[in-house]
Amino acid sequence: MSTEQQQADARNEPPALGDVVAAFHTSFHFTQGNTLDWSITVDEAVYGGLLDKVEFTSLPSGLHGVERDVVYFNKDGHEAVACFWRKQNETKDDRRGYQMEAYGVLLERSAYPRPWRHVPTLKTIHDKDALENYFNLHRKPTASGSNSDSPPSPPPLSFDWEAEILSSSRSSSTASSSSHPLIHLPHLLRIVGPSFLTIYKHLLSRRRVLFLTAAPVEAACLLTKACVDVAFPDVVMGSAGENGSGSATEDEAG
């Protein structure tokens, strides 16, 4: 067993997921603005370009008003998630009085990515060493000798919500399974109300749906992912049955 896996077991983390192709640390500097402070990739030539402007995507406008948030986003077909936190800055060189940072990961392309599995641990990471250790534990395997950014595999032939959640809870920690977007679907439906029928109609017709929200943005991100899961059996698997392939991304939901 690797050292990283032993450390993960000691922290009660889920086993290695093998889907991370890049990790990054971004922050807001009072004179330079949003900056990418540090990053690491499985292959810089293949995945390095995906981190372009990630400092703006992972630190959207308005986060200075909240202490913590989770930002889900998509970069050229790769799912990504970043956990933001703000704390009082005791140094005098920051005129805003706060330190604002985000630690995140970029996942390999997949027909059904699961970025929420990384959220519980990312929420506890507050330094680059811990993030690098996490990257080494969950990085995409490279034993085949090829790091090419291949297209995602075809979607599954069936999609069972109950099986998906049970599978997530068996293969991940309790905290990770509670981060699954489908767990939050009842609460999100109460927020949206009857408007969800209109949203569902647009999803079935593959129309773009845009959600506008002020910070924090995690609830809107979860709503977007839940909408993708709701439409997944009819839209994605339906097109897979007709055309032989298909994929689901949040780009189709907003």
Side-chain angles (χ1 to χ4, degrees):
M1 180 182 295
S2 65
T3 303
E4 290 84 359
Q5 184 64 61
Q6 291 175 345
Q7 293 174 348
D9 293 341
R11 294 190 299 267
N12 195 29
E13 289 182 7
L17 300 174
D19 59 350
V20 176
V21 297
F24 56 87
H25 169 244
T26 58
S27 66
F28 180 84
H29 191 274
F30 77 98
T31 60
Q32 302 176 21
N34 292 25
T35 60
L36 174 61
D37 299 312
W38 178 88
S39 65
I40 186 173
T41 65
V42 172
D43 187 321
E44 186 66 22
V46 177
Y47 301 105
L50 295 174
L51 297 177
D52 183 43
K53 308 299 183 183
V54 72
E55 64 270 26
F56 300 102
T57 314
S58 60
L59 296 170
S61 178
L63 285 188
H64 63 276
V66 299
E67 292 187 0
R68 290 182 175 273
D69 202 1
V70 179
V71 183
Y72 293 87
F73 57 96
N74 186 291
K75 291 282 288 184
D76 297 333
H78 292 263
E79 289 294 305
V81 60
C83 291
F84 165 86
W85 61 276
R86 183 197 71 176
K87 71 175 183 178
Q88 191 73 33
N89 197 338
E90 298 179 356
T91 61
K92 297 181 180 180
D93 61 343
D94 193 336
R95 300 170 190 174
R96 290 178 177 262
Y98 290 101
Q99 181 179 354
M100 294 177 284
E101 299 178 296
Y103 293 86
V105 293
L106 187 76
L107 308 186
E108 65 175 334
R109 298 178 67 185
S110 171
Y112 189 75
R114 297 173 171 84
W116 56 83
R117 297 187 296 182
H118 299 277
V119 170
T121 303
L122 287 177
K123 285 183 175 180
T124 68
I125 293 178
H126 298 296
D127 63 79
K128 292 186 283 291
D129 290 338
L131 182 60
E132 184 173 9
N133 290 335
Y134 187 79
F135 169 81
N136 290 330
L137 174 62
H138 298 287
R139 62 180 292 164
K140 175 184 177 181
T142 57
S144 60
S146 174
N147 292 330
S148 60
D149 189 17
S150 57
S153 58
L157 297 178
S158 62
F159 186 78
D160 187 307
W161 287 6
E162 182 178 2
E164 164 65 23
I165 296 175
L166 289 176
S167 175
S168 177
S169 63
R170 286 195 299 266
S171 61
S172 307
S173 64
T174 302
S176 178
S177 61
S178 65
S179 299
H180 200 296
L182 288 176
I183 295 291
H184 303 273
L185 183 59
H187 175 65
L188 296 173
L189 289 177
R190 286 194 294 269
I191 296 176
V192 177
S195 297
F196 187 79
L197 295 176
T198 303
I199 295 174
Y200 184 61
K201 178 180 69 175
H202 291 324
L203 292 174
L204 291 180
S205 59
R206 289 184 173 271
R207 298 181 62 182
R208 288 183 177 272
V209 179
L210 176 64
F211 297 108
L212 296 177
T213 182
V217 300
E218 182 179 13
C221 292
L222 290 174
L223 174 59
T224 302
K225 289 191 167 295
C227 287
V228 171
D229 280 352
V230 169
F232 190 88
D234 296 315
V235 176
V236 180
M237 289 165 45
S239 63
E242 297 173 0
N243 304 322
S245 63
S247 62
T249 69
E250 282 68 46
D251 288 341
E252 295 178 357

